[in-house]
Amino acid sequence: MKGDPNTSNANIQRFKDHYGANPVVIAQIWHDLQTTEIPEARIKVLNFSAFLEALNLLYRCHRETEREARFDKSRKTLRKWSRYYLLKIQALKASKIVFPPVEAFGDDVLIMSVDGTHCLFHEISHHEHSQNREYFSHKKKHAGLCYELGIHLYESKLTWMNGSFPAGQNDRGTFATEGLRDKLASIGKKAVGDKGYTGYPDQCSTFNALDDPAVKAFKSRAQMRHEQFNGMLKEFSSLDDQFRHEQEWFEVYFECACVICQHRMENGEPLFDLLAGIRIEGNGA
């Protein structure tokens, strides 16, 4: 039936299943690539079909032989233009994933949730052992790479993205040595983290037996909300399956996915409201 909303919704879902976002989000990314003032992100070649093919690679991560048959183009052509557009999308991170100025937080002390996100990676050779413990992910039980992500507690924004790191480095070590702890200390703010972040109470508030029920609920919901964003990332097969290419290209894929998820949050897919149903005096726990 013409105009059937069920048909329309099904078509939108089919589109998303191919390209990782609904048509509104994809149109906004295409617009941003043409209008951005970031030189590395500004596209000079307007080939929308190749743009969609790059998104399909990021989201579905089919092998080149499969893509060659699907799009009826040579592997060389598909590889060239997919890389071109993925690098452009990655460069949008300079405008889409930004740590807000301290004034934007007002009197709030807890400003973000933090967690390490691990992705499967091919086994890295070691000069002595059959396995490289530096890359072993305790979350995946396999070789992996990790990004440290920070999510704004009160807005649907990814405000911190740091990586990639070998997954053998624990979240606490990354927090302490790779910049976020120093950043929070310099502005007098805190993140909310799980028990892996204990030891830095002035920069990261973790679960505490002395917390009252409202504070416990607040911290629990902050972690659930962070996992909601991680779930959006793991919809991308390139991040959920074992990554087959070099680490530098893993970073391109991961950061592209983060940029797309940020666009999704800004265009109809926000994270849930952290404070809904919670009454809490202040947030300086």
Side-chain angles (χ1 to χ4, degrees):
M1 181 183 297
K2 185 176 181 180
D4 185 348
N6 292 328
T7 301
S8 178
N9 291 337
N11 287 335
I12 290 173
Q13 186 59 49
R14 292 188 188 103
F15 184 93
K16 183 178 178 181
D17 288 344
H18 278 84
Y19 305 115
N22 65 49
V24 172
V25 173
I26 299 304
Q28 185 61 56
I29 297 172
W30 183 245
H31 176 268
D32 288 351
L33 290 172
Q34 296 176 70
T35 59
T36 181
E37 295 183 0
I38 302 168
E40 295 81 6
R42 189 75 173 263
I43 55 176
K44 298 179 180 179
V45 179
L46 300 181
N47 186 336
F48 191 67
S49 294
F51 171 65
L52 291 178
E53 290 156 9
L55 292 173
N56 178 261
L57 172 62
L58 177 66
Y59 194 65
R60 305 306 304 174
C61 204
H62 294 302
R63 296 181 181 274
E64 285 190 334
T65 51
E66 297 172 299
R67 287 165 47 75
E68 185 178 37
R70 178 184 296 271
F71 297 113
D72 195 24
K73 294 182 180 179
S74 72
R75 301 182 198 182
K76 182 177 179 180
T77 297
L78 287 167
R79 189 184 311 124
K80 172 185 175 181
W81 290 110
S82 291
R83 291 187 171 191
Y84 173 82
Y85 281 107
L86 289 178
L87 287 170
K88 295 298 184 181
I89 295 170
Q90 180 197 26
L92 285 176
K93 68 182 182 180
S95 63
K96 304 305 292 184
I97 303 170
V98 179
F99 199 97
V102 65
E103 305 83 40
F105 298 113
D107 295 331
D108 292 333
V109 176
L110 299 178
I111 62 170
M112 66 193 301
S113 60
V114 62
D115 195 19
T117 299
H118 290 205
C119 296
L120 295 173
F121 195 57
H122 58 78
E123 196 72 47
I124 303 296
S125 62
H126 189 275
H127 69 282
E128 183 177 352
H129 305 293
S130 60
Q131 294 180 324
N132 191 331
R133 297 177 66 89
E134 182 183 1
Y135 285 84
F136 181 77
S137 166
H138 69 279
K139 297 182 180 181
K140 297 292 187 178
K141 309 303 181 186
H142 191 278
L145 294 171
C146 175
Y147 263 84
E148 181 182 56
L149 300 180
I151 308 290
H152 197 298
L153 286 178
Y154 313 110
E155 299 179 24
S156 292
K157 289 183 179 180
L158 177 64
T159 58
W160 179 265
M161 178 176 66
N162 196 15
S164 63
F165 306 110
Q169 176 170 290
N170 61 40
D171 293 344
R172 183 174 181 270
T174 301
F175 179 77
T177 63
E178 301 296 344
L180 183 54
R181 180 194 174 201
D182 292 338
K183 176 74 172 178
L184 292 169
S186 70
I187 62 175
K189 303 295 185 181
K190 296 183 185 183
V192 175
D194 60 26
K195 293 181 179 179
Y197 288 88
T198 55
Y200 304 102
D202 293 333
Q203 291 83 43
C204 191
S205 181
T206 58
F207 294 97
N208 189 317
L210 300 178
D211 289 339
D212 64 38
V215 173
K216 287 182 180 179
F218 178 87
K219 292 179 179 179
S220 178
R221 285 172 63 84
Q223 292 300 307
M224 291 170 59
R225 190 170 177 271
H226 199 110
E227 290 302 323
Q228 183 184 1
F229 181 82
N230 287 346
M232 293 174 67
L233 287 179
K234 294 306 173 68
E235 291 177 17
F236 290 80
S237 295
S238 56
L239 305 185
D240 194 42
D241 299 336
Q242 180 176 322
F243 196 77
R244 303 187 296 267
H245 309 292
E246 299 85 358
Q247 184 169 341
E248 63 180 301
W249 277 103
F250 168 77
E251 294 172 359
V252 173
Y253 279 56
F254 189 96
E255 294 175 9
C256 281
C258 285
V259 169
I260 292 171
C261 287
Q262 183 60 52
H263 277 87
R264 286 172 57 179
M265 291 190 295
E266 293 172 359
N267 292 275
E269 297 183 53
L271 302 179
F272 70 79
D273 184 355
L274 177 64
L275 298 178
I278 293 181
R279 293 183 180 180
I280 183 170
E281 297 295 331
N283 71 353

